[in-house]
Amino acid sequence: MHNDSEQSALFLIHSLAPAGSGGEKAWDEGSFLASTRIQLAPALKAAQSLGLEPEITNLRSENTSSLAKIGRPKCCIVGKLNHPDPKFAERIAMANLAAISILKQKKVPILTTYCDNLASSTSPAISSLYQSLLWHSDVIIYPNKAMTTHTRQWHNPEDPPKEIIIEDPWQVERQPFTRLHAGETCRIIWFGHSSNSQYLLNELQEILQGCSAWTSFELTILSDPQTAQRVANAIKPMKSNKPWTLRHAEWASNNQPQQLSDELKRAHISLLPSNPNDSRKSAASHNRAIDSLQAGCITIASPLPSYLEIKKILLATSCFSSAINSAIQQRDRLLAKWERLRESELDRFSPIENQRKWNSAFLNLLAPQERAKSK
């Protein structure tokens, strides 16, 4: 870390690269969640546009040498810090809590990107980390309005943070809606991280038995092999009302967003099941829905508060088989309606608009420093 120049922006990220690694090694060599890249790539550009040098570091407690190298960066941006393994999560939390303390002591402004409501995580280490971040942050970035309702209890009432909504940008360029024609199989896709697969498994039996509006169906799982196998094992004993085939496309991190775009373009329907009663998911990012809509899929999603923000251009439902049947039966009307609405409804998710909001967020973060200098 070389951020003693006061012209750097420190980025704290979670990566599976070695603890204490920084720069390209932390960003490129360790795989980490796609949502982190979606959120932080525009933030890196925003920092550079203001003349700041991004300093990326991957803190964990098994190597704390980077903590001693924290100088006086102009600001600090905190990416998504989480891991399903409790011991690994503890190592992330311990090191980053120490970093927060150092940064606050040096009066470095902190911007936290907040998604998945991690202050309410079932992991004590991660919930403690995020409760501390929410208390000490100067600016908090949310992916949607729904998420803002989850954090106020952890704000410092004497010095509340500035709250800004920056929607995740689409990754897929806009395509015409894919038309379902007589004689072909209705192609349905589910894609995402393995942590979301249980929501699909919960719906499978009802989907297989309830879908009756078409002659045959294909379900593509775009995810890791273990998730695809879980789905295959679950489907095997299930009975279906119509013929179904299962297809797996292994998620290729080094071929995104091209692979995602290709798989979505070949599908007619994209399924996004979740649990509106789960506080971790009720304000999930719109990103999977937006990319599905951009690619031309009929998008059917659980009625999460965040998804309801774009309900004009998707089907929000608690009964996926019924929604699939309705979507097929009314596809011409629905696709004509969504073609009219898609541009106006999705403009705020464009990469250009996302970058503009990130540039503004950095100016908000640095404004108190600039005012102090002018006095």
Side-chain angles (χ1 to χ4, degrees):
M1 235 179 284
H2 306 286
N3 46 31
D4 291 303
S5 68
E6 297 190 4
Q7 288 303 315
S8 64
L10 175 62
F11 284 76
L12 299 180
I13 70 167
H14 155 53
S15 164
L16 296 182
S21 58
E24 291 184 3
K25 185 175 186 65
W27 184 259
D28 293 329
E29 291 190 17
S31 61
F32 59 109
L33 297 178
S35 59
T36 302
R37 286 189 181 276
I38 292 171
Q39 289 176 339
L40 291 190
L44 288 168
K45 286 184 183 178
Q48 291 168 330
S49 73
L50 292 172
L52 300 176
E53 179 185 354
E55 295 281 352
I56 300 168
T57 190
N58 174 39
L59 295 176
R60 292 197 302 275
S61 61
E62 64 263 38
N63 181 354
T64 58
S65 60
S66 294
L67 290 172
K69 299 175 185 177
I70 295 177
R72 291 188 178 274
K74 190 87 168 177
C75 57
C76 174
I77 296 83
V78 183
K80 184 176 177 180
L81 304 173
N82 191 28
H83 195 276
D85 178 75
K87 294 297 183 184
F88 199 101
E90 284 179 12
R91 297 198 295 272
I92 293 172
M94 288 174 64
N96 284 279
L97 281 167
I100 294 165
S101 177
I102 293 169
L103 292 163
K104 293 309 291 185
Q105 184 181 23
K106 296 182 177 185
K107 297 187 164 109
V108 174
I110 295 173
L111 180 154
T112 295
T113 59
Y114 191 75
C115 60
D116 287 353
N117 196 20
L118 290 170
S120 296
S121 170
T122 55
S123 163
I126 296 301
S127 61
S128 295
L129 169 62
Y130 271 91
Q131 288 167 25
S132 179
L133 275 169
L134 293 172
W135 183 271
H136 290 296
S137 291
D138 299 274
V139 174
I140 300 174
I141 302 294
Y142 302 99
N144 51 59
K145 185 177 179 181
M147 186 63 80
T148 65
T149 64
H150 291 289
T151 64
R152 305 274 163 78
Q153 61 185 306
W154 293 298
H155 292 178
N156 179 354
E158 302 299 320
D159 187 19
K162 173 81 173 176
E163 297 178 286
I164 301 173
I165 296 171
I166 303 182
E167 297 87 350
D168 289 341
W170 66 58
Q171 304 297 297
V172 174
E173 293 302 316
R174 191 163 299 163
Q175 302 292 330
F177 279 95
T178 305
R179 302 284 169 167
L180 176 59
H181 300 291
E184 67 177 329
T185 294
C186 178
R187 297 184 295 275
I188 298 175
I189 188 170
W190 177 90
F191 66 100
H193 191 262
S194 58
S195 61
N196 292 315
S197 63
Q198 188 59 48
Y199 302 122
L200 174 66
L201 295 174
N202 292 344
E203 303 290 343
L204 272 179
Q205 183 68 78
E206 186 257 333
I207 290 172
L208 266 62
Q209 292 188 344
C211 287
S212 58
W214 204 247
T215 53
S216 62
F217 297 88
E218 173 195 85
L219 175 61
T220 290
I221 304 299
L222 175 57
S223 190
D224 60 87
Q226 294 76 21
T227 298
Q229 191 59 53
R230 283 185 72 201
V231 175
N233 292 342
I235 281 182
K236 196 174 295 184
M238 293 181 182
K239 294 181 180 180
S240 61
N241 191 16
K242 297 287 183 178
W244 281 80
T245 56
L246 181 63
R247 173 177 173 268
H248 174 223
E250 183 173 352
W251 181 268
S253 297
N254 62 352
N255 189 29
Q256 300 305 336
Q258 187 61 54
Q259 183 199 35
L260 176 61
S261 177
D262 292 343
E263 290 294 337
L264 287 172
K265 282 191 290 186
R266 75 176 291 280
H268 301 106
I269 296 173
S270 176
L271 300 183
L272 302 175
S274 191
N275 180 3
N277 298 316
D278 182 347
S279 64
R280 284 280 314 281
K281 295 298 179 183
S282 63
S285 167
H286 312 96
N287 54 15
R288 289 195 298 156
I290 298 305
D291 283 331
S292 298
L293 291 161
Q294 279 284 107
C297 287
I298 291 174
T299 302
I300 303 176
S302 296
L304 304 183
S306 53
Y307 288 163
L308 293 177
E309 293 174 8
I310 51 172
K311 63 183 178 181
K312 289 182 181 179
I313 51 174
L314 55 69
L315 297 178
T317 184
S318 297
C319 182
F320 277 80
S321 64
S322 177
I324 292 169
N325 288 335
S326 296
I328 292 171
Q329 292 161 348
Q330 302 178 51
R331 61 190 183 279
D332 291 338
R333 180 186 67 81
L334 290 171
L335 295 186
K337 172 188 171 184
W338 292 335
E339 282 283 15
R340 290 196 307 271
L341 293 173
R342 189 164 56 160
E343 183 173 356
S344 61
E345 289 294 313
L346 298 189
D347 271 356
R348 61 192 168 109
F349 301 96
S350 75
I352 292 173
E353 182 65 8
N354 175 271
Q355 193 65 63
R356 184 192 69 77
K357 290 179 179 178
W358 268 109
N359 292 346
S360 176
F362 267 84
L363 292 174
N364 267 288
L365 183 65
L366 300 176
Q369 290 180 348
E370 299 305 314
R371 285 196 296 267
K373 281 183 183 179
S374 64
K375 290 180 180 179

